[in-house]
Amino acid sequence: NRFEYIIVGIGINVNQEKFDNFIATSIKLEKKNTQDVASLFNKILLDNPNIYAVKYADDIINAPIYSSRHDLIDEEIPFYGMVLSPFVRYSSAPVNGVLYADDTFLRIVETGSMLNYSWIYEDTTLLKNTSLSRLFSADYRYWLEKAAAEYTAVKNIRELAENSPLYSHEKIAESVYKLTYENGTVVYINYRNENFITDFEEVVESKNYLVKA
Protein backbone atom coordinates (compact mmCIF):
# COMPACT_ATOMS: atom_id res chain seq x y z
CA ASN A 1 0.00 0.00 0.00
CA ARG A 2 2.86 2.39 -0.68
CA PHE A 3 1.88 5.75 -2.10
CA GLU A 4 3.29 6.99 -5.36
CA TYR A 5 2.99 10.50 -4.06
CA ILE A 6 2.18 12.30 -0.82
CA ILE A 7 0.83 15.78 -1.40
CA VAL A 8 1.05 18.49 1.24
CA GLY A 9 -0.63 21.82 0.54
CA ILE A 10 -2.70 20.75 -2.46
CA GLY A 11 -6.40 21.24 -1.84
CA ILE A 12 -6.03 23.63 1.10
CA ASN A 13 -4.62 26.86 -0.35
CA VAL A 14 -7.58 29.09 -1.08
CA ASN A 15 -6.97 32.74 -0.22
CA GLN A 16 -9.71 34.35 1.84
CA GLU A 17 -10.25 37.81 0.38
CA LYS A 18 -13.11 40.27 0.58
CA PHE A 19 -13.87 40.24 -3.12
CA ASP A 20 -16.28 37.49 -4.20
CA ASN A 21 -14.93 37.31 -7.75
CA PHE A 22 -11.37 36.85 -6.45
CA ILE A 23 -12.46 34.04 -4.13
CA ALA A 24 -14.24 32.31 -7.01
CA THR A 25 -11.15 32.61 -9.22
CA SER A 26 -8.85 31.37 -6.44
CA ILE A 27 -11.00 28.30 -5.82
CA LYS A 28 -11.23 27.57 -9.54
CA LEU A 29 -7.44 27.71 -9.94
CA GLU A 30 -6.83 25.58 -6.86
CA LYS A 31 -9.29 22.95 -8.09
CA LYS A 32 -7.49 22.86 -11.44
CA ASN A 33 -4.09 22.51 -9.76
CA THR A 34 -5.35 19.66 -7.59
CA GLN A 35 -6.88 17.87 -10.58
CA ASP A 36 -3.69 18.23 -12.62
CA VAL A 37 -1.48 16.78 -9.89
CA ALA A 38 -3.90 13.95 -9.11
CA SER A 39 -4.01 12.88 -12.75
CA LEU A 40 -0.30 12.03 -12.63
CA PHE A 41 -0.52 9.35 -9.93
CA ASN A 42 -2.53 6.24 -9.10
CA LYS A 43 -2.38 6.47 -5.32
CA ILE A 44 -2.43 9.74 -3.40
CA LEU A 45 -2.38 10.77 0.26
CA LEU A 46 -3.65 14.28 1.08
CA ASP A 47 -3.02 16.33 4.21
CA ASN A 48 -6.32 17.75 5.57
CA PRO A 49 -7.65 18.83 2.17
CA ASN A 50 -10.64 21.01 1.43
CA ILE A 51 -13.73 19.09 0.37
CA TYR A 52 -13.23 19.66 -3.37
CA ALA A 53 -9.93 17.72 -3.22
CA VAL A 54 -11.19 14.77 -1.18
CA LYS A 55 -12.36 12.83 -4.24
CA TYR A 56 -8.76 12.55 -5.43
CA ALA A 57 -7.47 11.04 -2.17
CA ASP A 58 -6.91 7.38 -1.35
CA ASP A 59 -6.01 8.36 2.21
CA ILE A 60 -6.25 11.56 4.25
CA ILE A 61 -4.08 12.49 7.22
CA ASN A 62 -4.67 15.21 9.82
CA ALA A 63 -8.42 15.04 9.27
CA PRO A 64 -10.49 16.98 11.84
CA ILE A 65 -11.89 14.90 14.69
CA TYR A 66 -13.12 17.87 16.73
CA SER A 67 -15.34 20.81 15.92
CA SER A 68 -14.18 24.42 16.26
CA ARG A 69 -15.58 24.27 19.82
CA HIS A 70 -16.90 27.79 19.62
CA ASP A 71 -19.17 28.84 22.47
CA LEU A 72 -22.30 28.48 20.32
CA ILE A 73 -21.68 24.74 19.80
CA ASP A 74 -23.46 22.45 22.27
CA GLU A 75 -22.48 19.01 21.00
CA GLU A 76 -20.14 17.39 18.47
CA ILE A 77 -20.95 14.63 16.01
CA PRO A 78 -18.42 12.91 13.70
CA PHE A 79 -20.09 14.27 10.57
CA TYR A 80 -16.80 14.30 8.64
CA GLY A 81 -16.30 10.59 9.26
CA MET A 82 -19.92 9.65 8.63
CA VAL A 83 -19.76 11.30 5.21
CA LEU A 84 -16.31 10.10 4.13
CA SER A 85 -16.06 6.63 5.69
CA PRO A 86 -17.63 4.83 2.70
CA PHE A 87 -15.17 6.42 0.28
CA VAL A 88 -11.75 7.13 1.78
CA ARG A 89 -9.58 6.24 4.78
CA TYR A 90 -8.72 9.12 7.07
CA SER A 91 -6.61 9.64 10.18
CA SER A 92 -6.40 12.28 12.88
CA ALA A 93 -3.50 14.58 13.63
CA PRO A 94 -0.63 12.75 15.39
CA VAL A 95 -1.80 11.28 18.69
CA ASN A 96 1.56 11.89 20.35
CA GLY A 97 1.33 15.60 19.59
CA VAL A 98 -1.58 16.32 21.93
CA LEU A 99 -1.77 16.86 25.67
CA TYR A 100 -4.42 14.23 26.49
CA ALA A 101 -3.42 11.29 24.30
CA ASP A 102 -5.77 8.78 25.98
CA ASP A 103 -8.85 10.93 25.41
CA THR A 104 -7.70 11.56 21.86
CA PHE A 105 -7.50 7.82 21.25
CA LEU A 106 -11.10 7.46 22.45
CA ARG A 107 -12.09 10.28 20.12
CA ILE A 108 -10.43 8.42 17.24
CA VAL A 109 -12.53 5.37 18.11
CA GLU A 110 -15.63 7.56 18.35
CA THR A 111 -15.08 9.17 14.95
CA GLY A 112 -14.11 5.99 13.10
CA SER A 113 -10.73 7.49 12.30
CA MET A 114 -7.42 5.72 11.81
CA LEU A 115 -4.34 6.33 13.96
CA ASN A 116 -1.56 8.75 13.13
CA TYR A 117 1.75 9.06 14.96
CA SER A 118 4.64 11.40 14.19
CA TRP A 119 8.02 9.99 15.23
CA ILE A 120 11.72 10.65 14.88
CA TYR A 121 14.64 8.34 15.58
CA GLU A 122 17.06 10.70 17.30
CA ASP A 123 16.84 11.87 20.91
CA THR A 124 14.30 14.70 20.99
CA THR A 125 16.36 16.66 23.55
CA LEU A 126 18.58 17.60 20.59
CA LEU A 127 15.71 19.75 19.34
CA LYS A 128 15.55 21.92 22.45
CA ASN A 129 15.60 25.65 21.67
CA THR A 130 15.24 25.02 17.94
CA SER A 131 12.40 25.66 15.49
CA LEU A 132 11.51 21.95 15.81
CA SER A 133 11.16 21.90 19.60
CA ARG A 134 7.43 21.23 19.08
CA LEU A 135 8.45 17.63 18.32
CA PHE A 136 9.42 17.03 21.95
CA SER A 137 7.06 14.03 22.14
CA ALA A 138 8.12 12.41 18.86
CA ASP A 139 10.74 9.98 20.23
CA TYR A 140 9.42 6.64 18.94
CA ARG A 141 10.90 4.68 21.84
CA TYR A 142 8.31 6.12 24.24
CA TRP A 143 5.36 5.32 21.98
CA LEU A 144 6.09 2.11 20.08
CA GLU A 145 4.43 -0.35 22.47
CA LYS A 146 1.39 1.88 23.11
CA ALA A 147 1.00 2.61 19.39
CA ALA A 148 1.10 -1.09 18.52
CA ALA A 149 -1.64 -1.84 21.08
CA GLU A 150 -3.83 1.04 19.89
CA TYR A 151 -3.33 0.18 16.23
CA THR A 152 -4.39 -3.41 16.95
CA ALA A 153 -7.47 -2.15 18.82
CA VAL A 154 -8.56 0.12 15.94
CA LYS A 155 -7.83 -2.61 13.39
CA ASN A 156 -9.99 -5.07 15.34
CA ILE A 157 -12.91 -2.62 15.39
CA ARG A 158 -12.64 -2.09 11.65
CA GLU A 159 -12.55 -5.83 11.04
CA LEU A 160 -15.63 -6.42 13.21
CA ALA A 161 -17.37 -3.60 11.36
CA GLU A 162 -16.28 -5.25 8.10
CA ASN A 163 -15.06 -1.84 6.95
CA SER A 164 -18.67 -0.70 6.65
CA PRO A 165 -19.43 3.03 6.99
CA LEU A 166 -20.59 4.78 10.13
CA TYR A 167 -24.38 4.68 10.37
CA SER A 168 -25.25 6.58 13.54
CA HIS A 169 -23.76 8.45 16.48
CA GLU A 170 -25.67 8.94 19.73
CA LYS A 171 -24.97 10.58 23.06
CA ILE A 172 -26.61 8.15 25.50
CA ALA A 173 -25.42 9.83 28.72
CA GLU A 174 -23.10 12.63 29.76
CA SER A 175 -19.65 11.83 28.29
CA VAL A 176 -20.87 8.47 26.96
CA TYR A 177 -21.49 7.79 23.26
CA LYS A 178 -22.82 4.98 21.10
CA LEU A 179 -21.45 4.50 17.61
CA THR A 180 -23.18 2.16 15.14
CA TYR A 181 -21.73 0.86 11.90
CA GLU A 182 -23.84 -0.09 8.92
CA ASN A 183 -23.25 -3.83 9.47
CA GLY A 184 -24.69 -3.57 13.01
CA THR A 185 -21.46 -3.39 15.00
CA VAL A 186 -21.89 -1.11 18.03
CA VAL A 187 -19.13 0.72 19.91
CA TYR A 188 -19.72 2.39 23.29
CA ILE A 189 -17.21 5.08 24.29
CA ASN A 190 -16.95 6.20 27.92
CA TYR A 191 -15.01 9.38 28.69
CA ARG A 192 -16.06 9.36 32.34
CA ASN A 193 -13.82 8.73 35.32
CA GLU A 194 -16.19 5.96 36.38
CA ASN A 195 -17.68 2.87 34.77
CA PHE A 196 -20.91 3.10 32.79
CA ILE A 197 -23.66 0.43 32.68
CA THR A 198 -25.55 0.12 29.39
CA ASP A 199 -29.25 -0.73 29.08
CA PHE A 200 -28.17 -4.33 28.51
CA GLU A 201 -26.28 -4.41 31.85
CA GLU A 202 -22.91 -4.36 30.12
CA VAL A 203 -20.03 -2.48 31.72
CA VAL A 204 -18.09 0.12 29.76
CA GLU A 205 -15.03 0.78 31.86
CA SER A 206 -13.84 4.27 32.74
CA LYS A 207 -11.89 6.00 29.95
CA ASN A 208 -12.47 3.02 27.70
CA TYR A 209 -14.73 1.57 25.04
CA LEU A 210 -16.76 -1.58 24.46
CA VAL A 211 -17.44 -3.24 21.10
CA LYS A 212 -20.52 -5.37 20.40
CA ALA A 213 -20.59 -7.17 17.05
Side-chain angles (χ1 to χ4, degrees):
N1 290 327
R2 292 178 62 86
F3 290 94
E4 289 191 34
Y5 211 72
I6 297 175
I7 302 174
V8 178
I10 288 293
I12 61 174
N13 298 320
V14 175
N15 295 321
Q16 297 299 310
E17 299 290 345
K18 294 181 179 180
F19 305 103
D20 291 342
N21 61 334
F22 184 86
I23 293 175
T25 301
S26 180
I27 292 175
K28 185 176 180 180
L29 288 173
E30 187 61 22
K31 284 182 177 179
K32 182 64 166 57
N33 291 339
T34 303
Q35 185 178 12
D36 289 345
V37 172
S39 67
L40 299 175
F41 306 98
N42 294 322
K43 200 169 180 62
I44 292 177
L45 182 149
L46 293 181
D47 184 349
N48 190 20
N50 278 321
I51 195 64
Y52 62 80
V54 166
K55 65 181 179 180
Y56 301 109
D58 294 282
D59 283 78
I60 293 172
I61 60 171
N62 295 319
I65 60 173
Y66 294 101
S67 71
S68 63
R69 294 188 165 179
H70 291 160
D71 291 342
L72 55 81
I73 295 175
D74 296 315
E75 297 289 346
E76 295 176 310
I77 61 171
F79 182 74
Y80 186 99
M82 296 180 77
V83 171
L84 294 188
S85 61
F87 308 108
V88 62
R89 293 181 301 184
Y90 52 94
S91 68
S92 68
V95 177
N96 57 311
V98 299
L99 184 60
Y100 300 105
D102 290 339
D103 277 358
T104 299
F105 172 70
L106 289 179
R107 182 66 178 176
I108 286 169
V109 173
E110 183 188 348
T111 57
S113 177
M114 302 298 290
L115 282 164
N116 181 10
Y117 281 89
S118 178
W119 292 337
I120 61 176
Y121 180 79
E122 294 289 348
D123 186 350
T124 54
T125 59
L126 298 174
L127 302 177
K128 187 176 180 180
N129 297 324
T130 73
S131 61
L132 295 176
S133 59
R134 67 183 185 281
L135 299 175
F136 69 94
S137 61
D139 190 329
Y140 81 96
R141 286 172 286 254
Y142 295 107
W143 293 96
L144 196 58
E145 184 175 342
K146 181 179 180 65
E150 291 184 344
Y151 174 82
T152 299
V154 170
K155 179 174 180 288
N156 289 341
I157 293 173
R158 297 302 299 168
E159 289 178 347
L160 288 172
E162 299 173 335
N163 290 316
S164 60
L166 300 176
Y167 177 75
S168 72
H169 175 272
E170 305 169 71
K171 181 178 181 179
I172 58 176
E174 189 61 39
S175 300
V176 182
Y177 299 87
K178 178 183 177 182
L179 190 70
T180 304
Y181 285 88
E182 197 171 70
N183 76 332
T185 298
V186 174
V187 183
Y188 295 94
I189 302 99
N190 180 14
Y191 291 94
R192 293 179 171 184
N193 292 317
E194 57 189 23
N195 294 348
F196 176 79
I197 310 297
T198 71
D199 292 340
F200 301 100
E201 300 299 319
E202 295 165 320
V203 177
V204 187
E205 294 183 356
S206 168
K207 299 290 184 179
N208 213 327
Y209 67 92
L210 175 68
V211 183
K212 300 296 293 182

